[in-house]
Structures are given as structure tokens and as C-alpha cells.
Amino acid sequence: PARHFDTRTTEPISFFLSGLEELLAWQPNSNDDFNVSAVPLAKRQPPLRSKRPRTLVCHDMRGGYLEDRFIQGSATRNPYVFYHWRYIDIFVYFSHHTVTIPPVCWTNAAHRNGVPVLGTFITEWTDGEKLCEAFLAGGEEAYHAVSEQLARIAQHYRFDGWLVNIENTLSAAAVGNLPPFLRHLTAQVHSAVPGGLVIWYDSVLQNGTLRWQNELNEENRVFFDTCDGLFTNYNWKEEHLERTRVLAGPRHTDVYVGVDVFARGDVIGGGFDTDKSLRLIRQHGLSAAIFAPGWVYEHLGEENFLHNENKFWGLLAEYLPTHSICTLPLATSFSLGMGTSRFLAGKEEEAGPWYDLSAQEIQPLYPEREGRLSTSCCLQDAWCGGSSLRVQGTIPPGEERMAIRLFSLQMPVPPKLYLTLLYKLEGPHPDEFTVALELTTWDSGTCHEGNVTSLPEPNGRHHPRFLPAPPPGLAKLLATCNPGSHGWTSRCYELDLQDCSLRDLSLLVSRHQPSPQEMPFTCLLGEVRVLDAASVAASPPQVQSLTASQLWWQ
């Protein structure tokens, strides 16, 4: 069927639903298998329900379902990717089709990084009025059918809920049923999808008029009260934020103040001035909804996209509370889910562009310090996948080392950890540096290394012991302890900790001799792993009852 497979190549594709009939007729189908997300939502700290201001990203690019619709990837040169997952809370895939089901590659990438994904239910223009009249103006049976279908769709494809956007006027009968519809939809999504969300876009008023308010007020509060949050329109001023904060009361973090990165209309700041909008939003303790950050790609062009993307998110970083990983194992090769080649064990296996967000690995923090440090993606060389992480920095005069924070962590430490690292030093004097990993722990009176007699580390910094060879029985899994290949250096470490809680994982670059000169370095990271020794030693579960279906030989 053309909905599920590309008519030209027969490749499986992601799809949307148009109109009420298609929504109500939808049911699970054996051709759906490719569209079901295979990655459960990873846990992270703090959880979404915590009361700190959140950041929502709403992805709206050229109508959606571009190269990202190819579920098994495509040979796209310079594709759009998003990878600043540590800095955001919710990802919305937006298009102007009635029912936007997020392409599964986005759900997989977001979930791997702990971010829930929402689809969009939108009605607009005169067709939207007719559609709303059809399901809202009648009895509850009609709107219950719609909310049940939307909840079933999210549950079936394993994404996390809906942004609801009614951008057309409503009759008195229809607007009267809108709050009960939203309440029912929210209840259905909560029961069908663990941690599910329904967010309302600031559009229609309680009297059915379409008039954007740019704030939470008495005209649209009735909709906010029935669901998990309000996404405001973009043309606000500071007084809108003040009134919103007062009216929202304890639910102020459920108001996502819209920021249009394209800066259409009368806005505080978009583009590389988006930080001006965010600064004000955060001063009032509100959440933010960053709309169309694909501006970086669409407006500034594909060629220098990765550089511009890091600049854009780097400017916002101080207003984006980051998230911590709270489960082990943590293993990543930093691949963005795209590349100009594919690498395996440091060797280029296949040249040529590729794009597949489902293959994106866990992404780190991207720390930037003006003139002193930058972290970016390197497509020219990788250990595994399409890219490595390039860390460029300068060790200041008189200092011996620099710690670069890769991941924030928040979890109790198992008694023994194994860590592995693959790296490559570039530049004129690679022999003058040593590279290692550093773990920090949260301060606590009880935390210490190894046996009880060893003293607590000052300021909770731990430098794992280097293992020249893998421990017996783990040679295969910890093959990384052996010398690297293709110019990559491989390192394996162990660390015994008691009664500790992990805080940060950093890369430590040191120089052999302190010097009055500053020293620039460039290090490519190919892979980092933090493993719980106990679960590494346990044998993996056996796969059972494996079936294969839909085999076509061509």
C-alpha cells in the first residue's frame, strides 16, 4: 500500500493521516511494523514532572515528511539533524496534515536520549471548521471516538502524546464540547501511554473566536485547565509574561511560551537573538517552546549547518537546564545518525552520504567556552557509525590539565565500574598530551574508593585505574582494552566505589610538563562506555521465538 511503502522504491515510509475519515478508519495493520518505535523512552533526571522550567522544541520544516520519512534511512547529503537532546524536555513533530504521526526515526532518536515525542492534531481554514463541526458539534460519542483514536495511535506507534492546534473559528456547540474533548483526550493518552502528554496551542478562545492571545488569560484558561500545558503564540511582550505567571499559579511551568526562530511578526528575538526571548521567559519562571529551530538549516544553508547549529544552541545554553543520565550501561560512539561515510572499528567501510536518525547514538553535552573550548561533530573520521566527537581546547599557561564535561549523571554507583575510551589526538604535538576519563561523585560523607581504609577523594574527583589488559572472561566485551587500530588509541579502566552517587563524566586532557605557554589540543572521541561490572559479567538473555515476515526478494 502506498501509505506504508514508497511507490518508487517499495521502501517503508512514515506517514500522516488526512481528514476525519482517515483518522476514524485507522486501525493497526501488519504493514505498520516498520513505523512502531523500537526504542523505549530512556529515564533521565530530573523527570519531566519536576517543577523546573522546561524546553519544548517544535520541529516544522517545509511541510514535514522529507528525507526523514524513509524508515531505513536514505542517501541524503547534508541532511537536517537535531542532537542537543540534553538541553530539551519535549520534541514536537509539526506539519499541516490533520494527524501528524511523528516519523519513527525521530521517536527512536529522541527516546534514546530520554526525550518524549508528540505528534500534532491540527484543524485550520474552512476545511478545519467543517471537520470540527463534524466531531465537536454533536454528542460526546463523536468526540470520544476521536480522542480514543488519537490515544490508540500514540500507543500503537509508541510516541508520547499530542499537540492540539485548532486554528479555525468554532460554532457555539463545537466550542462548548472542546473542553470535555480535551479532558477526555488527556485522560485517554495518560492511560494508554506512560508519561503521555497533551498540550494545547493558543488559538481559539472560549467563545469560539480564533484570536491568538500570546499569553494565558481568562479567554483561553478553560483549555489549559483540561490538559497538560499551553503553548502560547509568539507575539508577546513582557507584560504578557507577567500576567501569565500570575494566572498560571503553581502550574507556571506548564505554560510553554512560544518563540518563533524565524522571528515572524512582532517578537522580542529570533535567529541568533533567540536568547533575548529566552532570557525574559526564564526571568518569569516559565517554560519555553522553541518553534522551527530548523531556521539554522533553512535560512543559513546546509553547507555550514553543523557549525551554525552549535553556535545557535551554544547561545541558548545558559537558559536551558540540562538533563542527567540515570541508568547504566552508558555507551555511545557519538554518531549523529548521518555521515559522508560509514566507519567500523576505525576503518571506512563505505563511502557516500547516508542519513538515518534511528542510528543516532546517545548525545553528550556540547560544552563551549569562548576561545578556550569547543565540542563539535567530526564527519571525516570515526570509530563507529558516521562521526566522532571533536574536542578542541587550550590548556591555559601554568595549568596542567583541562576537564571537559561530556555527561551529567545522577545515579547510585555499583560497587565496580568498567570504563572504556577510544580516542585520537590530532595536531602538531600529539605526544605531549595524555587523555583519560574522570568521574565525579556528589559530595557525601560516606563515599569512598576501593576498600574502607582509603581516604575520600578531595572534591569527589575519581580517576579510574588503567587496565593494560581486559579482566579474564571479559576479553570479548572489553576488546577495547587492546591497542586500537587505524590511529585510534584504546583505553580500559576500572573503578571501585562504595556508597557514592555519580555526578559527571568528563574527558581529562593533561600535558606532561606544566609550561608558561598555553597549549592547544584537538582530540577525537570515537567511543565512551561506562559499564556496571556485575551486569557485564552476567550472561546476556537468550533471544527466543524469533520470526521474520514480509520477505521480498528482488
Side-chain angles (χ1 to χ4, degrees), residues 22 58 96 106 178 237 287 312 388 426 497 505 508-509:
E22 282 194 13
C58 190
H96 289 276
W106 282 106
L178 189 50
K237 294 284 174 277
S287 292
F312 177 81
S388 55
E426 295 192 318
L497 290 172
L505 173 66
L508 202 58
V509 180

Side-chain angles (χ1 to χ4, degrees), residues 488-535:
W488 290 89
T489 303
S490 165
R491 291 278 182 263
C492 209
Y493 308 90
E494 66 178 356
L495 180 62
D496 301 323
L497 290 172
Q498 289 182 349
D499 303 322
C500 302
S501 184
L502 292 180
R503 182 174 186 169
D504 287 315
L505 173 66
S506 298
L507 182 73
L508 202 58
V509 180
S510 317
R511 49 176 159 189
H512 300 316
Q513 263 85 38
S515 142
Q517 268 78 48
E518 57 176 36
M519 275 190 87
F521 64 86
T522 300
C523 178
L524 299 184
L525 286 189
E527 185 187 72
V528 168
R529 296 187 297 172
V530 182
L531 310 169
D532 174 356
S535 58

Side-chain angles (χ1 to χ4, degrees), residues 250-266:
R251 283 190 69 198
H252 57 93
T253 54
D254 292 341
V255 179
Y256 300 85
V257 179
V259 179
D260 179 2
V261 180
F262 278 85
R264 291 163 279 213
D266 181 12

